[in-house]
Amino acid sequence: MGVNLAGRSFLSLFDFTAEEIRYLLRLSHELKGLRRAGVRRRLLEGRHVVLIFEKTSTRTRCAFEVAAADEGAHVTFLTNSQLGKKESLEDTARVLGRFYDGIGFRGYAQETVEALARYSGVPVWNGLTDECHPTQALADVMTIEEYVRKPLSQVKLVFVGDARNNVARSLLVISAKLGMHFVAVCPPALSPDAEFLARAEEVARGTGARIEITDDLDGVEGADALYTDVWVSMGEEEKLEERIRLLEPYRVDMALIARTGNPEVLFLHCLPSFHDTNTEMGRLVYERFGIKEMEVSDEVFRSRHSVVFEEAENRLHTIKAVMLATLGAV
């Protein structure tokens, strides 16, 4: 039998088999091709989707809204609800499940998105929590498939920086699920927690994936893709000075690109990126610490190695795939 994800929520990549993840990736590539060919099938005509975002967003919100609109669905972006104020999460979820066919959530606690799924009775999609960012990881692997001409089981993906954050965790899980070679190059203080790592390693033993955690920059050698993320996630701004001290040696610059030994190595980043001083945060860091570039140099960000904007576009196609599959439209 083929893969059937109808009625499922998309909360964590741990919840999906390798076959199911590969199905979503294949569907994403197909949907990208159709959109670029100008084909609109409107498979969600008459459906309604609500988005609840506790955290600010550019790519995730736009990807959900455009994906839904492409397929004919109506979207409500809910910003002024009584959720958690005058109405409990459970009660709100039960109401929304009667109005909407699916719910997108972006926020802090993983428990919140899980409760929405438990009580709403409709598919719920995790657009980011403090624990994981599964739609981002799908887009990242989709991008790797487009540019690296080898099976995923032969791909080495190296994350450089804060390996405890939601993006790094989701990349580790999807690598384990798909049999990839994943390396986190990070300071020991910012390594994945032991319980999470043990769970991912158990998955890896069943798929042949390799997982390595190291503070040695030589860990980038042989990488097919180098990935980094911001040094301070939303809600951690007070830790900026500490993170700069820990992570400045791990900035992705052209010297680190060269250290991979792979002239075709990809550079990936989930965005936004502080690669210059053209943002409020970038200017603040420069004024306080004299640093013009944070997690990645401007040279790398704009180089031929960088596929960050293709990666950003792929958020749209992977989110569309998740919505269509879980709503039973494909």
Side-chain angles (χ1 to χ4, degrees), residues 6-47:
R8 296 268 299 274
S9 288
F10 191 76
L11 308 181
S12 167
L13 289 162
F14 274 124
D15 300 335
F16 290 80
T17 66
E19 182 185 10
E20 290 167 340
I21 293 169
R22 290 191 182 98
Y23 167 74
L24 288 171
L25 288 167
R26 288 195 302 271
L27 180 58
S28 300
H29 288 294
E30 176 188 337
L31 293 169
K32 184 173 185 176
L34 289 171
R35 192 172 199 271
R36 290 197 166 183
V39 177
R40 300 290 190 273
R41 296 184 295 178
R42 301 185 70 81
L43 297 175
L44 297 179
E45 193 77 55
R47 305 285 190 99

Side-chain angles (χ1 to χ4, degrees), residues 75-105:
V75 177
T76 301
F77 188 73
L78 194 59
T79 58
N80 59 346
S81 75
Q82 297 292 353
L83 178 66
K85 302 169 189 173
K86 294 184 178 180
E87 186 171 51
S88 70
L89 174 60
E90 177 182 348
D91 291 357
T92 300
R94 291 184 185 279
V95 170
L96 294 178
R98 290 170 179 257
F99 291 168
Y100 293 95
D101 300 286
I103 300 171
F105 175 80

